[in-house]
Amino acid sequence: MEECISVFDMLKIGVGPSSSHTLGPWRAAERFLKELTDLQLLQKTTRVKVDLYGSLSLTGTGHATDLAVMLGLSGQDPEYIPIQDISGIIKTIEDKKEIKLDNQIVIPFYFLQDIVFNKKFLPFHANGLTFIAFLEDDSKYTSTFYSIGGGFVVKEERVNAKKKIAIKCAFPFPITLAEELLQYCISKNKKISEIVYENEKSMRSETEIHTELMRIWNTMLECMHIGCHSEGILPGGLNVRRRAFDMHQNLIGLANYSNPQEWLECIRKTEVKFRQILKWVSCFALAVNEVNASLGRVVTAPTNGSAGVIPAVLMYYLCIENHQAGEKEIKQFLMVAGEIGSIFKKGATISAAMGGCQAEIGVSSSMAAAALCELMGGTPEQVLMAAEIAMEHHLGLTCDPIGGLVQIPCIERNTMGAIKAINAAELALETDPKNAKVPLDKVVNTMWQTAKDMNNKYKETSEGGLAVAVNMADC
């Protein structure tokens, strides 16, 4: 069987600022607790130590990796934890110097000593972390995980990063390559979203698919709404001022609304000249990633650092292009986006620590371009062309966050990824696929080769690029 990645694997609800550095370690901590429970070792644990390696160590503080590990060890769920409770839970752990492991047993925990930042890299992946449980009989239980991007976590026994052994299922239309997806569309006379829907139905009921897709969209919408109505300085020490608030105020004017859906309807009534459209799309993307940077709730799409692109482009379609669009179009968009993201994950990477920012903003722009193209009436060939165009113009994009924070240049890059996605969709719609020179699969392969050739200092280590050209003192 092929590796089967669901839309709900690619679009996950969680907490910012980073899917690989926050959500992944959080999920790894949850899995470590499950291992202890399954082995009947949890109640025998007297102390826990966590070693962070490689990129998790180099930019872990700025990405709140240490906080995520503590929250995960506490038994908190990133999908449902009330955001306002996070700071209080962390403060209690720090003040009391103890942690309630899996929300069951209290053990001593000195976070400055028990979370160790090791700059060396483990051989399997740049984002490695090892949990050590010290047991009451003086023995130890050790488990190593790798956060491979987008909140995906794997164990070290997966010897080859490219082996497709993580997730097995029986999709009626198993897909590894874009060409396979296209052939299904042609032979079955279906849109890409329809092929994806058939695959999803092999795992979930139609009701569950509908409910979960709308929950993802409503989380995106709420995130944009929160970001557009929050002002001030982002945490982390760079003193980055939120920009979505002021931009939104200038665009929305004196409109009255009381919830995110009413807000969306008000935006539909605003001026839609080219400059205003650019500003709205940028505003939506900025809003999401400002929420992400402040440990807010976002949808990993396909990562947290690139979480603003897909909601910004979908919001553009709903508010500017099609005022009659609703749940049908939203679900269609998300299914196409998820499938394109899965092709990149299988054939390349969605981890900036492995491939630079091309693996995050590039992939998210490609996902959004394809999804928008289908909603605008594009054929499956044009949809895949839109995905290819968007990635083609992100190839080689480095990851160089200043201070290890998902703020500069990450927040602005989401605006650029969103605009490129819209442009890519329009170019594809105006092109006869017979004249296309570069298939999507070639770009996926090229992106992976580029990732392997890229100098490690440009892969989310904050050891190159803007991260060294501009330091914290300059800010």
Side-chain angles (χ1 to χ4, degrees), residues 1-295:
M1 290 187 289
E2 301 284 341
E3 180 185 21
C4 297
I5 299 177
S6 166
V7 170
F8 303 107
D9 294 320
M10 297 305 304
L11 305 174
K12 295 189 282 286
I13 299 171
V15 173
S18 170
S19 50
S20 59
H21 287 57
T22 313
L23 182 58
W26 194 325
R27 291 301 189 194
E30 290 181 327
R31 286 181 56 177
F32 175 64
L33 292 177
K34 186 178 186 307
E35 289 179 1
L36 291 179
T37 300
D38 291 345
L39 295 169
Q40 298 183 337
L41 297 177
L42 185 67
Q43 300 296 327
K44 300 175 183 178
T45 301
T46 59
R47 181 188 160 212
V48 170
K49 178 187 172 189
V50 186
D51 283 298
L52 307 177
Y53 294 97
S55 181
L56 288 185
S57 171
L58 291 166
T59 62
T61 302
H63 289 74
T65 304
D66 48 351
L67 307 188
V69 166
M70 288 190 276
L71 290 164
L73 290 174
S74 300
Q76 304 296 328
D77 187 329
E79 194 167 341
Y80 295 103
I81 182 175
I83 297 301
Q84 64 272 16
D85 291 354
I86 290 177
S87 59
I89 294 170
I90 295 298
K91 189 174 188 306
T92 298
I93 295 171
E94 294 177 352
D95 290 349
K96 291 189 173 182
K97 296 180 174 54
E98 61 184 30
I99 193 166
K100 194 171 185 181
L101 200 61
D102 202 21
N103 203 29
Q104 294 185 52
I105 63 167
V106 177
I107 61 171
F109 192 84
Y110 305 89
F111 78 98
L112 292 177
Q113 301 171 26
D114 293 332
I115 299 178
V116 181
F117 291 80
N118 301 279
K119 291 187 177 180
K120 72 174 183 176
F121 286 71
L122 297 181
F124 176 75
H125 192 280
N127 294 332
L129 68 166
T130 297
F131 295 86
I132 305 171
F134 297 85
L135 307 176
E136 57 190 17
D137 62 0
D138 292 331
S139 64
K140 294 186 291 187
Y141 175 77
T142 301
S143 190
T144 298
F145 298 86
Y146 296 89
S147 178
I148 61 172
F152 289 88
V153 176
V154 298
K155 292 285 289 181
E156 61 181 329
E157 55 262 29
R158 283 185 68 200
V159 177
N160 188 331
K162 302 310 294 176
K163 282 186 178 178
K164 305 300 187 281
I165 61 175
I167 308 167
K168 299 287 187 180
C169 63
F171 278 176
F173 302 108
I175 298 160
T176 299
L177 302 173
E179 180 60 29
E180 293 171 339
L181 172 59
L182 178 58
Q183 290 308 313
Y184 289 136
C185 291
I186 294 171
S187 64
K188 301 298 180 182
N189 193 28
K190 290 181 180 290
K191 298 176 182 177
I192 288 176
S193 60
E194 292 171 334
I195 294 292
V196 177
Y197 190 48
E198 291 303 313
N199 281 342
E200 291 297 330
K201 286 195 296 183
S202 73
M203 301 172 66
R204 299 172 177 84
S205 69
E206 293 186 20
T207 299
E208 184 180 0
I209 294 169
H210 169 84
T211 300
E212 288 303 299
L213 285 174
M214 292 311 300
R215 187 165 74 96
I216 286 169
W217 165 245
N218 287 326
T219 302
M220 289 178 171
L221 179 60
E222 183 179 17
C223 184
M224 286 184 282
H225 184 264
I226 290 170
C228 285
H229 295 83
S230 300
E231 56 182 332
I233 304 297
L234 293 174
L238 285 178
N239 296 315
V240 174
R241 178 177 173 79
R242 291 175 181 261
R243 283 184 284 176
F245 179 86
D246 291 333
M247 185 179 289
H248 174 259
Q249 286 292 97
N250 291 333
L251 288 165
I252 200 70
L254 300 176
N256 293 313
Y257 48 87
S258 59
N259 59 58
Q261 187 59 45
E262 289 181 7
W263 174 61
L264 188 155
E265 295 296 337
C266 286
I267 296 171
R268 284 175 164 170
K269 299 173 184 176
T270 60
E271 191 174 32
V272 289
K273 291 180 180 177
F274 182 69
R275 285 186 67 198
Q276 279 67 36
I277 294 171
L278 280 176
K279 289 177 182 179
W280 270 122
V281 174
S282 296
C283 183
F284 299 143
L286 287 174
V288 170
N289 287 85
E290 287 173 355
V291 170
N292 179 63
S294 56
L295 275 79

